[in-house]
Every structure is written in C-alpha cells, then in structure tokens.
Amino acid sequence: MNVKKPEAPSSNRPHLLACLHQLQHQFRHIPVNQIAPLAQTLELPIAQVQSVIDFYSFFTRTPRGHYHLLFSNCTSCGDLQLMRELCALLKVQQGITRTDGLVSIDETACIGMCDQGPALLVNDQVITHLSSERLHAIAHLIEAHTPVDDWPSDYFVIQSNIRRTGLLLQTPLAQGAGLTAALAQESEALIHTIKQSGLRGRGGAGFTTGLKWEFCRQAQGTAHYVVCNADEGEPGTFKDRILLSDHAHELFEGMTVAGYAIGAHQGYLYLRGEYRYLVPHLESILAERHEQHLLGQTILGQGDFHFEIEIIVGAGAYICGEESALLESLEQKRGVPRVRPPFPVTHGYLEQPTVVNNVETLVAAAHIAAQGAAWFKAQGTEKSAGSKLLSISGDCKTAGIYEYPFGVTLQHVLDDCGAIDAEAVQVGGPSGTLVSKADFARTLAFEDLATGGSIMIYGAHQDLLKVVRNFTHFFAHESCGFCTPCRVGTPLLRKYLDKIAAGHGTAYDREEMARLAKLVKKRSHCGLGQTAANPILDLLQHFPEVCEKRLMLKDYEPFFDLDAALETTRQLSHRNDAEAHLA
C-alpha cells in the first residue's frame, strides 16, 4: 500500500490549527458546513480535519458563549469554588452555554499562572488574582455586554515574579552575540562546544543536547528542522512563560544557533494554547530580528545561512508536550505519540531529521555559544551542569521564578521562598516525584531529583489525598487514548482514588490500585502513561497513613452505592420500609 507522506503547510496556506482557532473565534464553535471547504483549501482529508477538531479541547462543535470562561483546576492556580460562585451569579451551569448564548463557563487544566492564581481564561485572555469581589465585577461586565477589550486593563496584568536570578537570568546577552560567536566557527566545532558544556534538556528527560544536535546533523534528509517545545503543560510549571515574555530574543537566538549547527533553514515554535496572548509580542520580536539580519536570508552577512521561524499555537492538549506528539500536531494531525525508534533526530517533522528542544534549553544554548562551555560548566554538578529555573508555587510566601545551580537542596529552596510549614513537595509536576519532609535534604539534579522546573509546595493543612486525586483526574482526562494501559488504566486509577476519598475504599481496593498503578507505569506507550501513576505510588510509599485512615474496616465494598441505586425501584413500588433497604 502506498502511503502519502505528510507535506509541510505551504507558505501560501495557513496551518490547520490556526484556521480552526479563527473559526472557533468567529463562530464560537466549528460549524459543520465550514469543515469541507477548509479541508479543500488546505488540501487535507475531511476526516483528518474532523479528527483534529475532536482531539483538542479548545475546539468545539457546539456554540460556546460570547464570553467563554475557563477556570483553572490546578492545585496552585485553580479555585473551582470561585467558578461555582460565578456560575451562580450568572445563572449558568458549568459546561452548558446559557440559553441566551451570552456566556459559558467550564474548568480546564493548569493555565501556567501558578504564581498569581486563582486564574481563568476569558476568550483566550488571562485574568489572574481572582477574588469574590473581582468575580462580581466580571459578572456585571458580562451582563452589560462590555467587550473584553474594554474590561479594566489591570485584570490582564501578568507579573514575571522573578525572585532569584542565576547563570542565565543575570547574564546579559547582547542581541546577536551568540549567533556571531556561532557563525565564527564550523558547525561541528559549535556542536563540540555544546557537548563540552554538559548541557542537558531542560524539559525533564535530560538527554545530552550536543549529542542530539550531532545525531541530527549527521542524519540524511532533504531538509533539517529545529522545533522549540513551548507547550509547557505540566501543572505547576510556568518558567517558560517568563522566558517567552522577558527573554524571547535569547530563545530565538538559541533556535537560530541550533539551525546553524544542524544545517536547518526552518524552525517552529510550538506554543501552548494557554499562552496565545504572547503571540503579538513574539511576532514583534521576530520582526525585530529580521530587521537586524538575525533571521531571514544571509544572516549576519553569511551568504549560505538562511533561517526562518514560524509560530504554531496549540489548542489545549497536554500530550503535545511529548515531542513526537508535538510533531504530529505540527503536521496538522491529532497529537498522538509515535512509536519510537526511529527518533526525531532522524525521522522527525515530515520524516526529516529534527531537533526538538525545550525553551530553557535553547536559551542556555544561546548563552553557551557566546560565553563558552567552561562558563556554563563552572556551575552545577558533575552530571548536571549549569543552572535550573524553577517555577515555585503553593504554600510559600513568595511564589515565582527562582534560578539555582544544579545541586541545590530542596530545603534550601524552601527556605528561600518562605515555605515554613511544608510537609510535602511535588517536584517536577504531577508526573514527577512527591517528596516527604524526611527527604528535603535531597538535591535538585538529574542524578537525584530531576525536574522540568515545577516545585509545588503543600503545607501541613493540605489534604494530600485531594491533591493526588486532582493529579489522577488530570491524567485520566489528558490520556490520548492511543494505548490500552493508559486509556483504560488511568480512569480506573481515578475510580479507585475517588472511592477511597469518598470513604468507601477498603484495603483490597488500595492493593488493587497499587497493582494497577505499577502496570500502567510499566506498560504504557509514552511518558504520560508511564508517569501518570507516580503520584499514587509516591503517596502510598511516603504517606501511607493518608489512605489508611480513609479505608473501611471490611473486606469488600462495591464501586457504587447499591442501596442508593435501588431508590428508583423503591419509588416505583411505593416501598420505603426496612426490608426495601440493604442495611
């Protein structure tokens, strides 16, 4: 069977996700009569367009309200009680557009505002620091049909909250400095410098960046590509948001340096949909770099080096943070992880050699090109060179961005941010590690506590079962459904945890949940499923009393309340005596 290879979106044709965002904005949903013309325009199968619409949570087939609000349900930047309060004020049910079509309200996963929550999205714009008072004002603005652009500007202020600077954030990098240094040497020498620096991927996996670049450069293909993974979807993580807003020049410099190293002429920035508000800013930086001859044709006068960068905005799918799922999304398909090998460095975007790097990794690469490998390697540990940006949130006095050399202890970090009564810390987001107080002396480094950057702090007053339940619901919702262990396993884990939280779990349920968690972790296809059970396993290992005190003292309890389920029968039979009940 001949399978048609995917083709790059033509410069004359916009990306499918961009078109769907436009339709969603224009009609407040994707009308069925728009799908076939769109597919024809983009020369894509209708089925492919339909499958993409149904895959991404930001697209709908039924109309949303003129004002569509999404409250974060994250443990750091979410407050669903506030969502229910606004629903009551506006007389709207969660997830159902009001009959007059004016407003719809729902919840969504973390929107990356954990240092200034509670937060929501209204028509793709972010509002932080929510309060009951602010909700009353928002309800009034909506009922008055006030356009969102005319709402008080202070509602939309997003603070950087940089609390501690280090190697990257405190070292100035003149525009073009990294690129000038890179172009002064052969690409092989540049890759050698990146390898010597010890730079490893900052997204969490920690693969050696120089090796990745070398493999990609050596791979055969008709074109090579650089892709920046800015789909920062791990709950509790927002450090890339700061780099995108305050250090975009350095990011684009790093992408261009990578392009020179691997022989690429095209780069893509894949931006998470929740950061859509950053697009005008990022586009202005790209335009500025074109004017400075740091992008485009004949960069810095080097005749044979051309490089362009395009921004693609995601649409609310956590799985697209996985690099092969991101590449599928970039190819205008559902964001489903690929079977590997082959790896992206040989068969990536459009089956061509592709480097996929995190935002922080590319910023670091730009600095290394300018400052040298020794400058970077002077900080950190033997296996974890350089520094790490941390997104710190939760029960502390000063949430925000902190940069430390690798090797810093967790206790040091907690002292700096004023986490005086921390009992547990989720390192690396829900897919990472839940650390108890007894392990606060451990170090943040690839060889000990690896992290993509999220540090979520929980004080003694927090219910850890509620926290882990939130994480488990998140993974069950975000599973792409590709493999059975994750598709079936994560909802089952959610059911077990819900049962225990409701006081109906038994010791048998706890043991079955632990057995299932290990199976999901071992047998799932990609990183989502392989890490989805981490919070449960860590909770059972380090905080066994949290579940123990919720268990029933009996051998077995069904998943549902059988006596309550018989209520309809009792009503039909006009029975409510003792014998009509199970107990």
Side-chain angles (χ1 to χ4, degrees):
M1 181 176 69
N2 293 323
V3 179
K4 183 184 178 183
K5 288 187 176 182
E7 297 176 353
S10 164
S11 58
N12 297 321
R13 293 196 299 266
H15 194 277
L16 173 58
L17 290 181
C19 294
L20 293 176
H21 276 299
Q22 184 178 352
L23 289 173
Q24 181 72 44
H25 177 74
Q26 181 179 355
F27 297 101
R28 296 179 286 120
H29 71 297
I30 310 295
V32 66
N33 62 1
Q34 297 289 324
I35 295 175
L38 175 61
Q40 184 176 14
T41 300
L42 300 182
E43 298 182 11
L44 295 173
I46 291 176
Q48 182 173 333
V49 175
Q50 290 175 324
S51 69
V52 168
I53 293 169
D54 294 334
F55 184 81
Y56 296 90
S57 64
F58 283 7
F59 303 136
T60 58
R61 298 214 184 214
T62 54
R64 288 171 172 166
H66 287 281
Y67 299 89
H68 181 60
L69 299 98
L70 289 170
F71 281 75
S72 168
N73 60 20
C74 167
T75 62
S76 288
C77 64
D79 187 338
L80 295 184
Q81 181 55 41
L82 288 177
M83 181 192 71
R84 289 187 278 272
E85 184 177 338
L86 187 61
C87 284
L89 287 170
L90 291 168
K91 296 180 174 55
V92 58
Q93 291 184 48
Q94 178 188 346
I96 300 175
T97 302
R98 208 168 77 174
T99 53
D100 62 359
L102 181 65
V103 59
S104 53
I105 299 175
D106 211 337
E107 62 182 282
T108 188
C110 176
I111 61 174
M113 299 292 154
C114 301
D115 55 333
Q116 46 206 299
L120 62 75
L121 293 169
V122 53
N123 296 356
D124 297 330
Q125 296 295 312
V126 177
I127 297 181
T128 60
H129 298 296
L130 294 175
S131 63
S132 184
E133 180 182 3
R134 180 163 285 188
L135 289 186
H136 277 77
I138 289 174
H140 177 75
L141 290 166
I142 291 174
E143 294 290 15
H145 295 223
T146 306
V148 173
D149 289 344
D150 294 336
W151 290 15
S153 58
D154 61 307
Y155 284 16
F156 304 99
V157 172
I158 298 172
Q159 300 157 330
S160 293
N161 289 333
I162 298 175
R163 310 293 188 187
R164 189 183 193 281
T165 59
L167 197 61
L168 298 182
L169 297 183
Q170 71 182 12
T171 304
L173 182 68
Q175 292 171 24
L179 197 48
T180 300
L183 296 182
Q185 55 190 314
E186 297 294 329
S187 56
E188 290 82 359
L190 172 62
I191 291 175
H192 179 71
T193 298
I194 301 296
K195 288 169 63 178
Q196 288 296 107
S197 73
L199 176 64
R200 297 171 65 174
R202 264 41 182 172
F207 191 80
T208 303
T209 303
L211 273 179
K212 181 182 281 190
W213 289 15
E214 186 173 65
F215 292 153
C216 187
R217 177 168 184 82
Q218 293 172 347
Q220 298 297 311
T222 56
H224 288 57
Y225 295 98
V226 175
V227 175
C228 174
N229 184 349
D231 195 42
E232 182 179 52
E234 188 75 31
T237 312
F238 51 89
K239 49 97 179 171
D240 287 351
R241 186 194 84 215
I242 308 304
L243 294 175
L244 290 160
S245 61
D246 296 4
H247 297 265
H249 268 293
E250 291 155 64
L251 166 62
F252 292 138
E253 184 112 350
M255 291 181 69
T256 313
V257 166
Y260 174 72
I262 67 169
H265 299 298
Q266 180 66 52
Y268 293 97
L269 173 69
Y270 189 94
L271 184 70
R272 70 177 302 202
E274 291 82 352
Y275 292 168
R276 187 177 178 81
Y277 72 94
L278 285 171
V279 171
H281 163 69
L282 295 171
E283 294 283 11
S284 72
I285 299 293
L286 289 177
E288 191 178 330
R289 294 185 70 81
H290 271 101
E291 292 175 1
Q292 297 170 337
H293 303 290
L294 300 175
L295 274 178
Q297 300 294 312
T298 318
I299 291 175
L300 290 177
Q302 185 128 335
D304 58 349
F305 180 47
H306 321 294
F307 194 72
E308 296 286 354
I309 295 175
E310 183 179 347
I311 299 171
I312 304 297
V313 182
Y318 167 77
I319 189 61
C320 289
E322 197 276 342
E323 64 175 4
S324 68
L326 185 156
L327 292 174
E328 289 288 295
S329 182
L330 207 56
E331 292 180 4
Q332 310 185 98
K333 295 181 286 189
R334 293 158 52 94
V336 175
R338 297 175 177 174
V339 175
R340 297 181 296 178
F343 294 96
V345 288
T346 59
H347 295 74
Y349 180 57
L350 306 176
E351 300 181 11
Q352 300 303 314
T354 303
V355 154
V356 183
N357 279 140
N358 168 264
V359 172
E360 186 181 349
T361 309
L362 290 163
V363 170
H367 278 272
I368 293 167
Q371 313 285 348
W375 167 83
F376 188 75
K377 205 169 184 177
Q379 290 198 9
T381 70
E382 182 179 354
K383 295 181 179 178
S384 304
S387 63
K388 186 76 191 79
L389 270 65
L390 303 177
S391 318
I392 296 181
S393 65
D395 295 322
C396 62
K397 289 183 179 176
T398 50
I401 298 298
Y402 293 70
E403 184 182 9
Y404 291 95
F406 269 120
V408 66
T409 66
L410 187 54
Q411 185 62 62
H412 186 147
V413 174
L414 296 175
D415 291 341
D416 282 357
C417 68
I420 55 176
D421 73 336
E423 285 293 316
V425 180
Q426 185 70 34
V427 177
S431 66
T433 306
L434 182 61
V435 180
S436 70
K437 199 169 186 175
D439 288 328
F440 285 177
R442 292 179 65 180
T443 59
L444 299 177
F446 291 109
E447 60 269 32
D448 190 0
L449 284 173
T451 173
S454 169
I455 302 288
M456 305 167 85
I457 302 166
Y458 300 102
H461 64 286
Q462 295 281 1
D463 179 357
L464 285 182
L465 185 59
K466 183 179 179 182
V467 171
V468 172
R469 189 166 165 246
N470 177 290
F471 295 163
T472 306
H473 277 244
F474 167 76
F475 285 121
H477 179 266
E478 295 295 337
S479 174
C480 75
F482 174 75
C483 71
T484 303
C486 182
R487 183 182 64 251
V488 177
T490 52
L492 284 176
L493 289 174
R494 179 185 61 196
K495 287 184 65 175
Y496 274 117
L497 215 52
D498 285 351
K499 185 180 180 184
I500 292 173
H504 293 289
T506 65
Y508 172 81
D509 293 316
R510 180 188 56 194
E511 299 311 313
E512 281 297 294
M513 181 174 69
R515 187 185 64 81
L516 177 63
K518 292 173 184 173
L519 186 148
V520 171
K521 183 179 179 70
K522 185 176 181 180
R523 299 297 182 189
S524 291
H525 170 65
C526 79
L528 191 155
Q530 291 163 8
T531 59
N534 285 353
I536 291 176
L537 292 171
D538 286 344
L539 183 75
L540 294 177
Q541 180 179 354
H542 301 299
F543 303 91
E545 71 282 0
V546 172
C547 279
E548 184 70 35
K549 65 183 180 183
R550 309 286 184 100
L551 301 180
M552 301 178 74
L553 297 176
K554 57 193 300 188
D555 293 335
Y556 180 76
E557 175 75 5
F559 264 100
F560 64 99
D561 186 343
L562 182 57
D563 186 69
L566 293 172
E567 180 58 28
T568 302
T569 304
R570 283 193 289 270
Q571 291 179 7
L572 291 172
S573 60
H574 304 289
R575 293 274 307 273
N576 198 25
D577 55 90
E579 292 187 356
H581 290 269
L582 294 177

